[in-house]
Amino acid sequence: MSASAVVVQGVVKPDGTLELEGKLPLPAGKVQVTVQPMPELPANDPFWQRMQAIWAGQQARGFVPRSAEEVEEARRQVREEWEERMRRIEQIQAEAEVIRRARERGA
């Protein structure tokens, strides 16, 4: 069985070890690793400057990002709300169809 390649970012530490930014979605076993340096944006890059300003503002306000679990819970809630909305729409459409047919028979 061959698995697809996975691209994951990480950091090479001063001692030369590699730290990955998360778990790999691969089964346990041997892998081959190719390390490619990420391009660095120049310090005067407008995008980079804007991102630095945003991050600094968040840090100054004490912003704590949501955890993966919190994000997934929010996604689950939205899915459930939309599924309920779709069930209600289907119910209204079915009721309207019953009324339409009743009128057609009575006309």
Side-chain angles (χ1 to χ4, degrees):
M1 175 179 143
S2 68
S4 299
V6 174
V7 176
V8 63
Q9 293 187 9
V11 176
V12 176
K13 297 190 161 215
D15 66 359
T17 60
L18 175 63
E19 180 178 308
L20 301 179
E21 290 185 354
K23 292 185 177 183
L24 297 174
L26 295 172
K30 285 186 163 188
V31 297
Q32 178 177 325
V33 178
T34 302
V35 178
Q36 178 179 356
M38 297 291 291
E40 297 233 2
L41 293 174
N44 63 350
D45 181 80
F47 172 77
W48 184 246
Q49 289 176 339
R50 184 68 187 138
M51 291 306 298
Q52 292 288 7
I54 289 170
W55 295 329
Q58 288 177 329
Q59 188 174 20
R61 291 188 305 275
F63 174 76
V64 177
R66 296 183 297 170
S67 68
E69 293 80 16
E70 291 169 324
V71 171
E72 189 53 42
E73 176 61 20
R75 290 179 64 203
R76 185 191 61 74
Q77 287 177 348
V78 168
R79 271 194 310 272
E80 288 177 1
E81 289 168 7
W82 274 100
E83 287 171 3
E84 178 56 34
R85 177 185 161 101
M86 291 306 296
R87 281 192 291 272
R88 182 68 182 128
I89 289 170
E90 290 169 358
Q91 180 183 5
I92 291 169
Q93 289 174 334
E95 291 170 0
E97 182 64 24
V98 168
I99 292 169
R100 219 178 353 263
R101 288 183 186 195
R103 286 186 179 160
E104 288 174 357
R105 281 191 296 256

